[in-house]
């Protein structure tokens, strides 16, 4: 400007009075231009500093606005998110250049206004303005942030058509867009096809793309190539490659990157420090992570959160809690990610008083309104079995998402509150929340425990309807649900459809076949499991031994029992001994069962003694039965089962006084026997029956059907087994007592209501008695029905006068 004024003075001198008017005119024009330049400069400075209202006031005072003036004001409004004002000025301006269009498009892109941004982009082209590299950069960033793959591909096509595909700025945007849209192969192709001239932004974009898409090793390799090309990494490159090191546990390479951080002078950068801490923690080097955190010049809450999460994941809950206490002592600004990390400490067996103290602190600091924190509270309380507290937190939540519902439903299912789990799952669906794979797996487990086959099928259909994709946990839950509900064919169909199987999958089917009376099929699947390369676990052997027990395969069971430790190094537990003792008892080898009991290398628990007591009952050995019952009285003093079995043994032996004394002992100790109960589900209604029950609306029809049923099966050869009538009555009284057992009432009702050809499914809370088991065989033969009876121990499939258990019931 000084040079311009000097030239004007020189022009005056040369005129020497001539053409003075012209000289004055030129001077006035220059002064006017100088004034407008100053106004535009001030307008630009106000806009950049965010003083939009002052900028607008100055804009209105400028009488002769040029293109720069209009573009500056439009850009100011667009960059501050005031799109209505920006659009109004855009419509008013007499100057619409590429810069004007780009400024408005950039504003819409920053505000994630997809429709308007692309409408302006295509309109810009239609009106003859060619988008610049910066215009394309704006729309590509929008595609990246909103994962708009189809839109991004359209921009890619335009870039190729207009020769922008060789522009480093545009290609970098394309690489980022494809990477963010999880099209890493397309991003990689563009990156590799780029001519020379990749800058550090391009390299960083590719490293970040690999890292964010789970290609940790490729990210590390790309970073190495970047270093080899002499391109310096920065505070954006290093965290991405450190994240890649974390994902593949490449501790050694991560330490080398740490060296790059130090050499680059970036060790004080909070973003880089946080990535370093996270890398060391995820690579299980807690000591290095701890040193970094404690030596930070400025405490970073993200890094401390990473340390807490790492300690919890590696089982150091006390140390995680110690870090939290230090954060509190240092008066750090704890955020809504800190509390969920700390609450994970209490999902194991830590003191719940500390958990409640943290909950109080959450309320005190105002974080009870944060959904992330509430979800963690619900999850923590549910996992610790404090369902009441979990319900309270959940019910006070204003905004519930799928994680909130999943935490509660899963917690209910895992704590045995299966009916509550089903209730909340239904409420979740009513609330319009789409279930995820975790909640589906949990609700299938709950349905399996309650043997609700129709519900399980509905959940399976919901899973398919929402297209949640294949999941090993869901598939395993489906196999177990169908198997536990007696639909072993459906379980096998799910098994066959699975692309990936693990030991849980195979074990579920092995146990399923065993529980459904197809022990030999269980053993065949075990052989297939070994052939597939899958190694059995402890639960697999429980299923195998159970299968052998209920199929009378003594030698097979001995082989599996011995191979557990010798071949697979699995120590036999009480549940394995219980299966062996049960098998030996069923096979008439009570003495051998006693010897195995006495030789146990682990302390026998209640499961073992129950198996032994049941074996004693089968063989009528009162002496050993009394020993087993005595141990059970001590181990489970409130369990009625040993009292009832011992009383029944006395009754069967004709020792009515001894049986009466056991019943008196039960009464004096406040122990009551659970009444036998059978039920059947029909048209989404559960019909329940007790022995000699007359409370059902169709009682008359049911008892009439029983009379018809008994007449027909007696003609077919059925004889009531009086040894299962354990009351001191005459023969007629004993037979009458057997006639109206709950399972007989249930099957009579089913014959009246279940359509011909459909299987009859009956459930009982106790083991089916021998007389009813025998009667069911005859009923299935006489009425030509498939009867599936699920008692407390297993499934019995009755067809054509035979049972799947082979009478090893």
């Amino acid at each position: 400007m000084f040079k311009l004024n000097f030239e004007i003075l020189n022009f005056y001198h040369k005129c020497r009075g001539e053409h003075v008017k012209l000289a004055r005119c030129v001077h006035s024009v220059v002064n006017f231009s100088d004034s407008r330049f100053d106004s535009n400069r001030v307008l630009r400075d106000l806009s950049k500093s965010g003083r939009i209202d002052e900028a607008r006031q100055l804009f209105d005072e400028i009488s002769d606005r040029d293109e720069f003036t209009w573009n500056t004001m439009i850009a100011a409004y667009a960059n501050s998110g005031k799109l209505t004002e920006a659009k109004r000025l855009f419509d008013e301006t007499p100057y619409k250049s590429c810069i004007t269009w780009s400024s408005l498009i950039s504003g819409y892109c920053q505000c994630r206004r997809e429709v308007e941004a692309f409408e302006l982009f295509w309109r810009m082209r239609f009106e003859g303005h060619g988008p610049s590299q910066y215009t394309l950069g704006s729309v590509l960033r929008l595609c990246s942030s909103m994962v708009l793959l189809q839109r991004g591909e359209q921009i890619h096509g335009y870039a190729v058509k207009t020769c922008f595909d060789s522009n480093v700025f545009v290609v970098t945007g394309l690489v980022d867009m494809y990477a963010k849209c999880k099209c890493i192969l397309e991003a990689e192709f563009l990156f590799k096809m780029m001519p020379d001239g990749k800058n550090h932004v391009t390299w960083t974009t590719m490293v970040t793309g690999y890292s964010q898409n789970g290609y940790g090793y490729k990210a590390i390799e790309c970073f190495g190539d970047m270093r080899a090309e002499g391109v310096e990494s920065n505070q954006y490159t290093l965290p991405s490659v450190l994240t890649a090191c974390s994902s593949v546990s490449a501790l050694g390479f991560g330490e080398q990157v740490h060296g790059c951080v130090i050499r680059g002078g970036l060790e004080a950068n909070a973003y880089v420090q946080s990535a370093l801490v996270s890398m060391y923690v995820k690579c299980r080097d807690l000591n290095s992570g701890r040193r970094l955190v404690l030596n930070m010049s400025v405490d970073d809450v993200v890094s401390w959160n990473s340390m807490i999460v790492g300690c919890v994941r590696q089982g150091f809950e006390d140390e995680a809690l110690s870090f939290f206490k230090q954060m509190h002592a240092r008066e750090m600004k704890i955020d809504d990610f800190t509390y969920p990390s700390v609450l994970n400490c209490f999902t194991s067996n830590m003191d719940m008083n500390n958990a409640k103290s943290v909950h109080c602190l959450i309320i005190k600091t105002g974080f009870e309104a944060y959904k992330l924190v509430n979800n963690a509270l619900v999850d923590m309380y549910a996992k610790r079995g404090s369902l009441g507290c979990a319900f309270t937190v959940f019910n006070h939540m204003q905004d519930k998402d799928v994680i909130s519902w999943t935490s509660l439903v899963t917690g209910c299912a895992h704590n045995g509150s299966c009916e509550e789990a089903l209730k909340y799952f239904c409420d979740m669906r009513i609330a319009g929340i789409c279930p995820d794979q975790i909640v589906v797996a949990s609700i299938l487990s709950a349905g399996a425990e309650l043997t609700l086959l129709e519900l399980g099928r509905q959940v399976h259909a919901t899973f398919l309807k929402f297209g949640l994709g294949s999941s090993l946990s869901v598939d395993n839950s489906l196999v177990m649900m169908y198997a536990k509900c007696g639909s072993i064919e459906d379980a096998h169909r799910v098994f066959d459809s699975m692309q990936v199987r693990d030991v849980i999958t195979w074990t579920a089917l092995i146990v399923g076949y065993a529980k459904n009376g197809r022990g030999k099929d269980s053993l065949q699947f075990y052989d297939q499991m070994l052939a597939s390369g899958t190694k059995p676990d402890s639960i697999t052997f429980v299923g195998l031994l159970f299968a052998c027990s209920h199929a009378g395969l003594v030698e097979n069971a001995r082989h599996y029992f011995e191979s557990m430790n010798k071949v697979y190094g699995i120590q036999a537990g009480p549940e394995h001994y219980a299966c062996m003792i049960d098998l030996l008892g069923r096979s008439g080898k009570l003495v051998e069962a006693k010897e195995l009991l006495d030789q146990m290398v682990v302390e026998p628990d209640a499961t073992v003694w129950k198996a032994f007591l049941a074996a004693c009952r089968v063989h009528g050995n009162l002496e050993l039965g009394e020993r087993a019952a005595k141990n059970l009285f001590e181990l489970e003093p409130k369990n009625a089962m040993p009292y009832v079995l011992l009383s029944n043994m006395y009754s069967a032996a004709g020792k009515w006084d001894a049986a009466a004394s056991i019943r008196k002992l039960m009464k004096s100790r406040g122990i009551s026997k659970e009444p036998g109960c059978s039920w059947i589900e029909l048209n989404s209604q559960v019909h329940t029956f007790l022995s000699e029950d007359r409370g059902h609306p169709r009682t008359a029809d049911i008892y009439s059907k029983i009379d018809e049923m008994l007449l027909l099966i007696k003609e077919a050869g059925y004889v009531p087994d009086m040894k299962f009538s354990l009351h001191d009555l005459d023969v007629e009284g004993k037979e009458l007592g057997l006639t109206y057992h709950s399972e007989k009432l249930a099957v009579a009702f089913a014959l009246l209501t279940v359509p011909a050809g459909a299987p009859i499914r009956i459930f009982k809370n106790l083991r089916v008695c021998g007389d009813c088991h025998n009667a069911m065989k005859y009923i299935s033969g006489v009425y030509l029905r498939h009867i599936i009876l699920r008692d407390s121990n297993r499934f019995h499939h009755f067809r054509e006068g035979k049972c799947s258990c082979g009478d090893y019931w």
Side-chain angles (χ1 to χ4, degrees):
M1 188 58 67
F2 173 79
K3 183 178 179 181
L4 181 60
N5 286 330
F6 177 79
E7 293 293 338
I8 293 170
L9 290 172
N10 189 38
F11 179 67
Y12 267 122
H13 177 71
K14 288 180 178 179
C15 285
R16 295 187 181 185
E18 301 175 8
H19 309 296
V20 174
K21 288 183 179 179
L22 177 60
R24 285 176 178 168
C25 182
V26 172
H27 191 188
S28 65
V29 170
V30 171
N31 282 337
F32 177 77
S33 298
D34 187 25
S35 173
R36 187 166 61 185
F37 176 83
D38 288 340
S39 297
N40 283 343
R41 179 173 55 77
V42 174
L43 183 67
R44 180 199 62 194
D45 292 343
L46 289 171
S47 299
K48 284 187 175 180
S49 62
R51 297 156 67 182
I52 307 300
D53 293 337
E54 294 176 55
R56 180 56 193 259
Q57 186 177 352
L58 176 60
F59 175 83
D60 290 338
E61 292 173 359
I62 300 173
S63 58
D64 190 10
R65 307 176 188 113
D66 61 8
E67 183 181 341
F68 182 87
T69 313
W70 285 94
N71 286 346
T72 301
M73 198 64 236
I74 290 169
Y77 275 133
N79 291 334
S80 63
K82 297 183 177 182
L83 299 179
T84 303
E85 291 85 349
K87 183 65 167 58
R88 186 179 298 117
L89 285 181
F90 176 83
D91 293 336
E92 293 175 4
T93 179
Y95 312 101
K96 283 189 177 71
S97 65
C98 175
I99 296 172
T100 318
W101 285 92
S102 296
S103 297
L104 189 62
I105 290 170
S106 176
Y108 278 105
C109 289
Q110 288 176 31
C111 294
R112 299 167 70 89
R113 300 275 288 273
E114 173 198 353
V115 175
E116 295 93 333
F118 277 93
E119 184 180 316
L120 282 168
F121 179 80
W122 299 121
R123 186 177 145 200
M124 174 185 182
R125 289 188 57 219
F126 180 76
E127 295 191 12
H129 297 279
S132 67
Q133 62 176 346
Y134 303 108
T135 318
L136 295 176
S138 295
V139 292
L140 285 172
R141 279 192 295 274
L142 174 65
C143 295
S144 298
S145 63
M146 296 186 68
V147 196
L148 304 172
L149 177 59
Q150 190 173 5
R151 295 278 201 185
E153 289 173 334
Q154 292 173 0
I155 301 301
H156 188 182
Y158 175 79
V160 172
K161 183 179 178 180
T162 54
C163 298
F164 273 111
D165 56 330
S166 59
N167 182 289
V168 174
F169 183 82
V170 174
V171 175
T172 300
L174 285 167
V175 170
D176 182 57
M177 182 274 296
Y178 279 117
K180 291 285 197 328
C181 292
K182 301 190 181 302
C183 297
I184 196 66
L185 294 179
E186 288 83 350
E188 183 182 65
F189 175 78
L190 284 174
F191 178 79
K192 290 183 176 179
M193 293 301 292
M194 281 182 73
D196 295 336
K198 299 185 186 82
N199 56 29
H200 72 277
V201 179
T202 314
W203 283 97
T204 297
T205 301
M206 195 67 245
V207 170
T208 304
Y210 280 133
S211 181
Q212 291 178 344
N213 282 275
Y215 293 85
Y217 289 113
K218 283 196 171 187
I220 291 170
E221 182 184 354
C222 187
F223 178 75
D225 293 341
M226 175 183 178
R227 300 281 297 172
E229 290 287 329
V231 180
E232 286 297 323
S233 50
N234 58 18
Q235 69 269 30
Y236 303 107
T237 321
L238 294 169
S240 293
V241 76
L242 286 168
T243 301
C245 294
S246 302
S247 67
V248 296
S249 299
L251 178 59
F253 195 86
E255 289 173 333
Q256 295 177 39
V257 176
H258 192 174
C260 294
V261 170
I262 295 170
R263 286 193 296 274
L266 295 170
E267 62 266 36
N269 183 283
Y271 190 40
V272 175
Q273 280 185 328
S274 176
L276 275 169
V277 171
S278 180
M279 183 275 295
Y280 279 119
V281 167
K282 289 180 179 177
C283 291
R284 307 184 71 82
D285 187 355
L286 288 179
N287 291 329
S288 296
R290 185 186 299 107
R291 280 194 298 271
L292 276 172
V293 166
L294 296 178
N295 291 327
M296 284 181 174
S297 55
V298 178
D299 289 329
D300 173 50
V301 67
V302 177
S303 301
W304 282 76
N305 287 348
S306 296
M307 271 311 300
I308 292 172
V309 171
C311 290
V312 172
R313 286 179 177 172
Q314 295 184 44
F316 298 103
E317 289 88 358
D318 290 329
E319 190 163 355
L321 195 56
S322 173
F323 271 106
F324 174 70
K325 290 176 180 176
Q326 289 182 62
M327 288 179 74
H328 196 59
R330 292 179 183 226
E331 297 184 348
M332 291 177 63
K333 190 176 180 181
I334 293 171
D335 62 15
D336 56 328
F337 291 97
T338 310
Y339 284 115
S341 303
V342 175
L343 289 169
N344 279 332
C345 297
F346 305 109
T347 56
S348 59
N349 294 320
M350 289 190 69
D351 186 5
M352 280 298 289
N353 290 327
N354 285 330
K356 291 179 179 178
S357 297
V358 173
H359 190 176
C360 291
L361 189 61
I362 287 169
I363 297 171
K364 184 179 178 181
T365 52
F367 278 95
E368 77 276 12
Y370 285 74
K371 182 164 60 179
L372 191 65
V373 177
N374 279 321
N375 286 346
L377 280 168
V378 172
D379 182 63
M380 182 272 292
Y381 280 126
K383 285 180 177 175
R384 291 302 303 272
S386 299
L387 291 180
C389 295
F391 294 149
T392 301
V393 174
F394 181 84
N395 291 332
H396 280 87
M397 290 178 67
Q398 298 298 316
D399 182 23
K400 304 179 181 76
D401 60 9
V402 66
I403 298 174
S404 318
W405 289 96
T406 298
S407 297
L408 194 64
V409 171
T410 302
C412 290
H414 287 178
N415 283 284
S417 298
C418 296
E419 292 182 5
E420 287 287 345
L422 296 178
K423 173 186 173 297
Y424 278 101
F425 179 74
C426 293
D427 291 344
M428 173 185 176
R429 299 292 300 116
I430 292 169
I433 303 295
C434 178
D436 61 9
Q437 294 174 340
I438 298 172
V439 76
V440 169
S442 296
I443 208 65
L444 285 170
S445 298
E449 290 302 315
L450 296 173
T451 57
L452 298 175
L453 178 60
E454 290 308 313
L455 174 80
R457 284 175 172 158
Q458 290 174 26
V459 174
H460 190 180
T462 300
F463 178 74
L464 296 174
K465 177 183 175 182
F466 282 100
L468 296 176
S470 180
S471 164
L472 183 60
S473 63
V474 172
D475 287 343
N476 285 344
S477 296
L478 280 168
V479 172
M480 285 188 274
M481 183 275 295
Y482 281 122
K484 286 186 175 182
C485 290
S487 186
I488 195 66
E489 293 79 11
D490 287 326
H492 200 150
R493 272 192 287 272
V494 174
F495 178 87
D496 287 340
S497 70
M498 293 174 67
Q499 300 297 316
V500 180
R501 303 176 184 126
D502 61 5
V503 64
I504 298 173
T505 320
W506 287 96
T507 299
L509 205 59
I510 288 168
V511 173
Y513 272 109
K515 291 276 188 180
N516 280 274
R518 293 170 62 174
K520 292 181 180 178
D521 289 327
S522 287
L523 308 193
Q524 289 176 6
F525 271 98
Y526 176 68
D527 293 336
Q528 291 180 33
M529 172 184 172
L530 296 182
S532 73
T534 306
K535 289 186 178 180
D537 62 10
S538 174
I539 301 173
T540 311
F541 282 103
V542 172
L544 286 171
L545 294 174
F546 185 93
C548 293
S549 174
H550 290 269
L553 304 173
V554 178
E555 294 307 316
N556 297 76
R558 286 193 177 119
H559 166 72
Y560 294 131
F561 190 75
E562 291 172 3
S563 69
M564 283 178 60
N565 194 18
K566 289 181 180 178
V567 180
Y568 300 103
I570 298 172
Q571 181 69 42
E575 63 276 13
H576 301 101
Y577 281 101
C579 287
M580 285 299 297
I581 288 169
D582 182 63
L583 167 64
L584 294 171
R586 290 172 184 273
S587 304
K589 302 178 185 296
L590 186 61
V591 175
E592 192 174 338
K594 178 183 176 298
E595 290 174 356
L596 181 63
L597 175 66
D598 294 336
Q599 294 168 8
M600 283 181 62
V601 295
V602 294
E603 188 69 24
D605 65 2
T607 308
V608 176
W609 286 112
K610 286 175 186 175
F612 189 62
L613 178 57
C616 294
R617 182 199 173 193
V618 170
H619 295 279
N621 192 317
L622 277 173
E623 182 183 352
L624 295 178
E626 287 169 346
R627 176 192 170 192
K630 182 179 178 182
N631 281 281
L632 284 169
F633 293 162
E634 294 176 1
L635 290 170
E636 295 183 347
K638 293 298 181 181
N639 188 348
M641 177 265 191
Y643 295 92
V644 173
L645 279 186
L646 187 59
S647 173
N648 290 347
M649 289 176 69
Y650 284 134
S651 298
K655 296 187 175 184
W656 302 108
D657 292 340
S661 68
I662 292 293
R663 290 194 291 273
K664 287 180 182 177
L665 181 62
M666 284 181 66
K667 188 175 181 180
S668 67
R669 293 181 177 180
I671 301 168
S672 59
K673 175 192 171 185
E674 182 181 8
C677 171
S678 299
W679 65 94
I680 180 171
E681 185 180 359
L682 183 67
N683 298 327
S684 300
Q685 270 193 315
V686 176
H687 299 263
T688 305
F689 301 93
L690 299 174
S691 183
E692 300 183 17
D693 193 349
R694 292 183 179 272
H696 195 276
R698 297 192 62 179
T699 294
D701 295 334
I702 291 169
Y703 275 73
S704 176
K705 192 68 176 179
I706 285 181
D707 293 339
E708 171 199 298
M709 198 168 66
L710 287 174
L711 183 64
L712 292 174
I713 64 175
K714 282 181 178 179
E715 289 178 357
Y718 163 74
V719 177
D721 193 340
M722 299 302 177
K723 71 180 179 183
F724 291 99
S725 181
L726 302 173
H727 298 283
D728 189 11
L729 302 170
D730 57 20
V731 174
E732 186 178 348
K734 287 186 175 183
E735 182 177 346
L736 193 62
L738 292 173
T739 300
Y740 301 116
H741 277 191
S742 64
E743 49 265 62
K744 289 193 180 82
L745 295 174
V747 77
F749 174 72
L751 289 171
L752 289 168
T753 55
V754 177
I760 294 172
R761 299 178 184 275
I762 300 170
F763 303 92
K764 186 174 182 182
N765 62 333
L766 305 176
R767 285 187 66 173
V768 59
C769 85
D771 177 71
C772 288
H773 183 271
N774 189 35
M776 290 292 176
K777 290 194 297 183
Y778 281 99
I779 294 167
S780 70
V782 168
Y783 288 93
L784 300 177
R785 300 298 294 263
H786 177 197
I787 301 172
I788 304 170
L789 173 61
R790 171 70 164 93
D791 66 10
S792 62
N793 196 37
R794 59 175 298 170
F795 278 96
H796 300 267
H797 291 259
F798 299 96
R799 283 192 181 99
E800 298 177 355
K802 296 179 181 178
C803 180
S804 58
C805 71
D807 290 339
Y808 281 94
W809 58 276

